[in-house]
Amino acid sequence: MRRPLTAVVAVAVALTASAAGAQPRAVGGRGAAATPVVAADQATRAVHVLRSDVRSWDAGRGTGVLWSWSADGRSELADLEPGSSWSNPSEAKLRELDGHRYLLATASGGLAAVVGYPGREVYWAAHTGPGNAHSIDLLPDGNVAVAASTGGFVRVYAASTGSRATRHAEVPLRGAHGVHWDPRTRLLWALGGRELVALRVDGPADDPGVTVVHRSTLPTRDGHDLAPVLGTKGRLWVTTGTAVYQYATGRHRFVDYPSSSRISAPGVKSVGDDPATGRILLARPEPGHSCVWCTSVLTFHRPDGTKRLVRGAMYKARWWTPRRD
C-alpha cells in the first residue's frame, strides 16, 4: 500500500480564514473544547472547519473559522481543472489512515479529493466524470469509495497505488447519494434513491472488486444522506426526501430512535451526532435562499439551536471527527 505523503506546511490560500492550527479536542468535562463542525460551502467554493461554540461564522472575516480548503488555485490540482470540476462542493468528512488525518471532499462537478489535515497535501484526487460526485469515504487499505447520483454508480478507486490512480471497481446504484465504510461489519454501505445496499470490497488493493451482499428498500423515496450513528453502535443515519431514519446494520431493518419526532424532517441533506456530547447536527435547505438546495443556517438538537454562516450557502455539514463506528 502506498504510504501517505509527508505532511508539509502549505501557504494559506485566500479562502483560509486562519492558520492551519491544531483542532480543538472533543473531550468531556468542564471547559472542554467543543467538537468543531465541517461544512461544504458553495458560496465560497470551499470546505470550512468551524468552531461549534460560537453563535455565527463569517468565512470572509475569519470569524469562528479554524481551517479552510478549496481546490481553486491549487497548482497541484490544475490537471483536474477545478474551475469546472470543483463546482458546487457537496461533501466533507474527516478520516484517519496510518496515523494521518485527511479531509475527504467531493463536488458536483466531479472532483473527489483526499487532502491532508492540516497540511493540505493531496493524498489522492480524481475527476470522476459528470455524474455528480456526492459522497466519499476512505477504506482501511487506503483506497477510496465515491458515490455519484446522476451517474448512478458507486466506485472503489485504487487510491492506495498513487495520487492520481483511476483504476476502479464499480457497481450501479440508481440515485447514489451516500457512501460509508463501516469497520464493525467491514462492509461498504451505499445509499441510493430507493435502497440501502451493503457492499463487500475484495481483491487486492491495486485491483479491487465490489459485490452487493444485501439490499434494503427505503421506507420513503429519494435517499440522500448516509452516516454512522456514533452514539449507538451498529446503526446508520439515513435521510430521504421526507424523513430522517436510523438503520440497524446487524438486523437489516429501520428502527426507532430517541427524539425522532423532533429530528426527522423532509429534505435533510446531512445529519450526524457528536460523539462527545450526543448533540445532533442537521443541514437542510433554507427557505428563500438564492441556492434552493443550500442553507446559511445549521440546526442543532439536544440542546436545540441554530448557527449561521454569514453569506453562506452550505450543502452538507458534519461533526469534525474521524470516528465512523
Side-chain angles (χ1 to χ4, degrees):
M1 183 179 75
R2 178 174 67 91
R3 293 183 179 275
L5 299 175
T6 301
V8 295
V9 178
V11 177
V13 295
L15 288 166
T16 304
S18 61
Q23 172 190 338
R25 297 178 59 197
V27 294
R30 181 174 297 180
T35 304
V37 167
V38 61
D41 179 38
Q42 297 185 0
T44 56
R45 291 172 55 96
V47 170
H48 302 296
V49 178
L50 307 166
R51 290 180 56 180
S52 63
D53 58 352
V54 296
R55 292 185 177 181
S56 65
W57 312 288
D58 188 331
R61 296 183 177 182
T63 305
V65 180
L66 297 169
W67 185 87
S68 298
W69 182 83
S70 173
D72 291 334
R74 307 298 300 188
S75 60
E76 66 272 29
L77 296 176
D79 60 305
L80 301 179
E81 300 181 345
S84 57
S85 65
W86 182 242
S87 62
N88 293 341
S90 55
E91 178 67 283
K93 298 177 179 178
L94 176 65
R95 291 291 184 256
E96 286 184 338
L97 180 67
D98 294 339
H100 297 259
R101 289 191 166 193
Y102 297 96
L103 163 70
L104 278 57
T106 61
S108 296
L111 183 65
V114 178
V115 180
Y117 175 83
R120 302 185 181 84
E121 69 281 3
V122 176
Y123 169 79
W124 174 84
H127 193 325
T128 63
N132 191 15
H134 216 78
S135 189
I136 183 172
D137 213 343
L138 182 61
L139 278 59
D141 62 3
N143 287 344
V144 175
V146 175
S149 59
T150 58
F153 63 74
V154 177
R155 291 176 179 169
V156 174
Y157 284 87
S160 59
T161 65
S163 62
R164 285 294 187 279
T166 56
R167 179 188 292 272
H168 63 267
E170 178 177 321
V171 293
L173 180 61
R174 185 175 179 180
H177 268 75
V179 66
H180 171 70
W181 171 260
D182 178 25
R184 292 176 60 82
T185 59
R186 297 195 62 79
L187 295 172
L188 181 67
W189 294 82
L191 182 65
R194 297 189 179 184
E195 62 181 345
L196 174 67
V197 300
L199 308 171
R200 177 180 296 114
V201 181
D202 51 22
D206 61 355
D207 189 19
V210 183
T211 305
V212 177
V213 296
H214 188 82
R215 298 178 184 269
S216 294
T217 301
L218 301 181
T220 53
R221 293 186 177 185
D222 300 325
H224 195 277
D225 193 41
L226 179 64
V229 180
L230 297 179
T232 305
K233 294 184 182 299
R235 290 195 184 187
L236 300 172
W237 291 105
V238 175
T239 76
T240 69
T242 54
V244 177
Y245 302 99
Q246 285 190 7
Y247 178 88
T249 58
R251 298 159 61 189
H252 292 297
R253 59 180 296 182
F254 290 89
V255 294
D256 293 334
Y257 63 94
S259 304
S260 60
S261 61
R262 296 168 61 193
I263 295 169
S264 184
V268 172
K269 299 301 183 184
S270 63
V271 61
D273 54 312
D274 178 7
T277 65
R279 199 174 194 195
I280 308 297
L281 165 66
L282 296 96
R284 58 186 301 220
E286 178 183 358
H289 199 288
S290 59
C291 169
V292 296
W293 53 77
C294 300
T295 183
S296 65
V297 178
L298 300 181
T299 301
F300 296 81
H301 293 285
R302 302 190 317 211
D304 293 354
T306 59
K307 297 179 187 293
R308 180 172 179 261
L309 177 63
V310 178
R311 296 176 297 278
M314 296 176 285
Y315 188 66
K316 293 181 186 177
R318 304 195 184 280
W319 295 106
W320 186 240
T321 173
R323 282 186 53 183
R324 57 171 108 193
D325 60 352

